[in-house]
Amino acid sequence: MSTIKPEDFFKNIISHCKEYGFIFQSSEIYDGLSAVYDYGQMGAELKKNIRDYWWKAMVQIHENIVGIDAAIFMHPTTWKASGHVDAFNDPLIDNKDSKKRYRADVLIEEHVAKIEDKINKEVEKAAKRFENFDADMFRSTNARVKEYQDKIDSINIRFKMALNANNLDEVKQIILDLEIVCPISGTKNWTDVRQFNLMFNTSTGAVTDESNIIYLRPETAQGIFVNYLNVQKTGRMKLPFGIAQTGKAFRNEIVARQFIFRMREFEQMEMQFFVKPGTEMDWYEYWKKARLNWHLSLGLGAEKYRYHDHLKLAHYANAACDIEHQFPFGFKELEGIHSRTDFDLKQHQEFSGKKLQYFDSETNESYVPYVVETSVGLDRLFLSVLASSLKEEALEGGDSRTVLNLPPALAPYKAAVFPLVKKDGLPELAESIMKDLKFDFMVAYDEKDTVGKRYRRQDAIGTPFCITVDHQSLEDKTVTIRHRDTMKQDRVAIADLHKILTEKTSINSLLRAL
Ligand code: GAP
């Protein structure tokens, strides 16, 4: 049972990340850099394991998906062609009294979320009074829910139309009509809404002028599109096929808060699946399901995920949805599944003057393939895994422990080896066990403090197994293995340790469940 109050939980995650070497603020000795973070010794391992699981699930087990590693810098025309120079904007609005800047769309979405909360409260209230619920109460609850839902629908429709028409005056008018106030000043004294491009730029070479501006990629996807033909030809790929990659992306986010949820430098894991035109909606549905299953396989709880279909489609999409995760601050986007049509390849074809087509030997035609994209933020995934795993457990006798119930395959260390005492040949035997295991598993060694304290340290970083070498080990070549989640111990043969760790902690154990 958790003993942490919900309001402290998020703060607790951030301090746990720092205390145990998962995440540090970037350049902390200089007071940090806003919305940029560094992964420490534990975080780098956890992040690598999540990335490996994604890579294996996307590339290794699909014969028709290959992986690449494109450069962060790309020819600047890439971003003109993709639409990012002209359309990768956030609508911004300032409050004249507090001088704080907000994303206009976020202000409206938060207003809608508050109405959604009211609906949830009505439904919860009704469920609680279910037994003595009469017809009049039913009708009035229903009427209230409908009134709220109508309000949400009309805001959403108006907002979508305003954005699609790039009508920023109307976006401001919506904010005024909804009487949205600045959370700092409490006033409605808003500036006009302006568009703000999210791409960072720098320049190549010694001279800085318009001609050598280059961008830090805001998504990894374009590195895949511009390599579509290289990969298709050299890999002799037949439709449908996918190209995957993981790597850094950069966005000059205005509303950069909530720890690693929204960063200015982050990592994406994206896959573009190239399909025959006309089949894209079937593949879109396929990847929606496949990606949700991947998240569910982590075992963090099915109730923590939901789909959210997009109202406002990005400039390249004809269908799009998010897989949302229940973060400590509510359900938020974790992964996007987008049907990107042939937009990107056609644009690159036009801007580069090079044909980016596929010759279909079955129908004898050439065409530009359609694309279904899966795009997940590695840092957000990290946060979702960590936040769902961190528990403060009350123990018998009034004691408590902090434990990270990470999926064992993702844990930074798979096991920790302890000699019970620092004498009698126990450290030597423990070290030899460690030596045998370390080529296949990340294993920690600890001989300091009592075994109880050592267990606590490993619980806090999510190590699934602690192996203790005691005097009996010298006699019969067995050790105790203590399970993180149940705290139960078994006595097992040293010779079986490798097999046990493989069975319980390998990424294959997750892959097989897909
Ligand atoms: N290629 C499509 C694309 O980039 P997106 O919805 O803008 O789509 C995909 O981003 C995923 O990248 C998001 O679902 C999120 O997990 C992650 N992401 C986006 N912006 C981020 C940020 N500023 N910080 C951390 N993760 C971010």
Side-chain angles (χ1 to χ4, degrees):
M1 216 188 56
S2 172
T3 55
I4 304 174
K5 285 194 224 133
E7 60 272 27
D8 293 334
F9 186 54
F10 193 43
K11 279 194 210 142
N12 218 342
I13 292 168
I14 299 171
S15 55
H16 191 88
C17 280
K18 178 161 184 210
E19 189 178 343
Y20 288 94
F22 283 91
I23 296 173
F24 309 121
Q25 206 180 2
S26 159
S27 356
E28 196 191 81
I29 58 166
Y30 295 106
D31 295 335
L33 184 64
S34 166
V36 185
Y37 291 90
D38 297 339
Y39 286 81
Q41 66 282 14
M42 288 300 126
E45 288 295 330
L46 173 56
K47 193 176 177 198
K48 178 175 76 59
N49 293 338
I50 299 174
R51 191 193 294 111
D52 281 356
Y53 178 38
W54 182 87
W55 188 269
K56 287 187 175 192
M58 300 303 274
V59 178
Q60 186 172 317
I61 67 170
H62 290 101
E63 297 94 276
N64 62 345
I65 301 181
V66 292
I68 65 165
D69 184 12
I72 287 171
F73 289 140
M74 302 182 68
H75 192 287
T77 311
T78 308
W79 305 110
K80 194 80 198 141
S82 67
H84 284 81
V85 171
D86 297 322
F88 194 54
N89 300 319
D90 274 346
L92 295 188
I93 190 164
D94 292 51
N95 183 270
K96 290 183 198 163
D97 299 319
S98 68
K99 310 269 182 279
K100 287 278 169 202
R101 181 163 292 170
Y102 298 91
R103 268 176 55 181
D105 54 333
V106 171
L107 286 179
I108 294 171
E109 276 162 18
E110 282 175 352
H111 183 86
V112 167
K114 278 188 200 147
I115 308 177
E116 276 168 354
D117 274 353
K118 285 187 187 163
I119 295 183
N120 291 340
K121 283 203 183 110
E122 286 292 337
V123 173
E124 261 170 41
K125 247 196 297 177
K128 274 194 198 136
R129 292 178 308 190
F130 187 66
E131 276 173 14
N132 8 345
F133 208 58
D134 63 29
D136 283 346
M137 280 160 89
F138 179 75
R139 268 192 292 276
S140 67
T141 300
N142 233 3
R144 275 194 300 274
V145 169
K146 187 173 175 320
E147 189 191 321
Y148 291 141
Q149 192 55 54
D150 288 349
K151 234 187 226 170
I152 292 175
D153 291 344
S154 80
I155 297 170
N156 281 340
I157 290 169
R158 197 174 155 199
F159 180 45
K160 184 181 170 189
M161 279 169 58
L163 283 184
N164 284 347
N166 201 19
N167 185 346
L168 300 181
D169 291 343
E170 170 68 354
V171 174
K172 177 177 179 184
Q173 197 52 51
I174 296 173
I175 290 173
L176 294 177
D177 291 351
L178 295 177
E179 303 193 338
I180 295 175
V181 295
C182 164
I184 309 286
S185 67
T187 69
K188 291 174 255 175
N189 196 6
W190 296 110
T191 61
D192 288 342
V193 178
R194 286 167 300 116
Q195 291 289 20
F196 174 83
N197 194 285
L198 295 182
M199 281 196 294
F200 282 105
N201 62 41
T202 182
S203 54
T204 49
V207 188
T208 305
D209 64 32
E210 277 290 305
S211 65
N212 54 14
I213 281 187
I214 93 170
Y215 298 98
L216 271 73
R217 66 182 177 197
E219 61 170 10
T220 60
Q222 297 305 323
I224 294 178
F225 288 121
V226 298
N227 278 298
Y228 153 75
L229 209 57
N230 284 336
V231 175
Q232 193 270 317
K233 292 248 182 284
T234 55
R236 294 181 293 124
M237 309 300 289
K238 291 227 173 310
L239 289 189
F241 75 91
I243 306 179
Q245 80 165 325
T246 70
K248 289 275 179 143
F250 304 83
R251 294 182 190 178
N252 197 1
E253 298 282 3
I254 295 309
V255 184
R257 52 188 150 108
Q258 292 162 330
F259 196 34
I260 57 168
F261 180 81
R262 194 177 301 286
M263 299 156 87
R264 298 208 165 99
E265 172 181 341
F266 58 102
E267 192 164 337
Q268 288 188 316
M269 306 196 291
E270 301 202 295
M271 193 273 300
Q272 311 297 321
F273 200 67
F274 298 90
V275 304
K276 187 173 177 165
T279 64
E280 73 276 11
M281 291 319 282
D282 292 340
W283 284 111
Y284 171 70
E285 291 303 327
Y286 171 89
W287 282 110
K288 256 174 94 167
K289 282 202 197 92
R291 291 303 305 149
L292 181 61
N293 277 345
W294 185 90
H295 291 287
L296 294 179
S297 74
L298 296 175
L300 306 176
E303 72 290 352
K304 294 213 153 147
Y305 299 89
R306 69 179 189 197
Y307 290 121
H308 168 78
D309 291 319
H310 281 205
L311 272 173
K312 181 197 170 231
L313 292 176
H315 57 276
Y316 48 72
N318 69 355
C321 88
D322 296 334
I323 295 175
E324 291 188 338
H325 178 83
Q326 191 174 26
F327 287 94
F329 36 83
F331 270 99
K332 297 273 178 228
E333 173 184 351
L334 176 61
E335 169 152 7
I337 321 289
H338 312 123
S339 172
R340 288 183 82 129
T341 67
D342 54 1
F343 174 85
D344 301 85
L345 287 181
K346 274 216 170 127
Q347 287 291 103
H348 288 306
Q349 201 171 241
E350 191 184 318
F351 278 73
S352 68
K354 311 259 162 46
K355 279 213 158 133
L356 296 176
Q357 297 195 336
Y358 177 78
F359 177 69
D360 190 331
S361 53
E362 275 169 28
T363 58
N364 255 346
E365 337 155 69
S366 289
Y367 49 78
V368 177
Y370 269 46
V371 172
V372 175
E373 166 184 75
T374 71
S375 174
V376 62
L378 178 49
D379 312 271
R380 276 192 200 176
L381 250 175
F382 185 109
L383 183 59
S384 73
V385 170
L386 205 117
S388 302
S389 305
L390 184 62
K391 316 248 156 57
E392 189 69 24
E393 277 181 2
L395 301 175
E396 275 170 30
D399 204 1
S400 71
R401 68 164 183 161
T402 302
V403 58
L404 259 187
N405 294 124
L406 294 172
L410 303 185
Y413 286 118
K414 304 306 178 208
V417 184
F418 309 152
L420 185 62
V421 287
K422 271 200 270 182
K423 56 182 183 183
D424 303 336
L426 300 189
E428 288 76 8
L429 180 55
E431 274 168 24
S432 83
I433 292 174
M434 165 99 187
K435 248 192 212 155
D436 279 348
L437 295 175
K438 74 178 181 188
F439 293 98
D440 295 306
F441 308 98
M442 280 294 292
V443 188
Y445 180 83
D446 193 357
E447 54 179 28
K448 250 204 231 134
D449 300 323
T450 61
V451 169
K453 278 194 182 152
R454 288 182 252 172
Y455 283 156
R456 291 291 174 273
R457 279 202 287 270
Q458 297 301 325
D459 286 345
I461 57 172
T463 308
F465 298 104
C466 289
I467 296 161
T468 305
V469 176
D470 54 19
H471 291 92
Q472 190 181 331
S473 311
L474 298 172
E475 287 159 24
D476 64 3
K477 298 278 174 271
T478 63
V479 286
T480 62
I481 184 162
R482 183 248 193 197
H483 302 253
R484 177 196 65 199
D485 299 347
T486 59
M487 294 185 283
K488 295 232 162 71
Q489 295 182 27
D490 298 323
R491 192 135 207 125
V492 301
I494 293 172
D496 289 342
L497 285 173
H498 197 285
K499 188 165 149 253
I500 295 171
L501 292 188
T502 305
E503 258 173 37
K504 308 273 188 206
T505 71
S506 75
I507 284 182
N508 286 1
S509 58
L510 290 177
L511 283 176
R512 280 183 218 288
L514 282 180

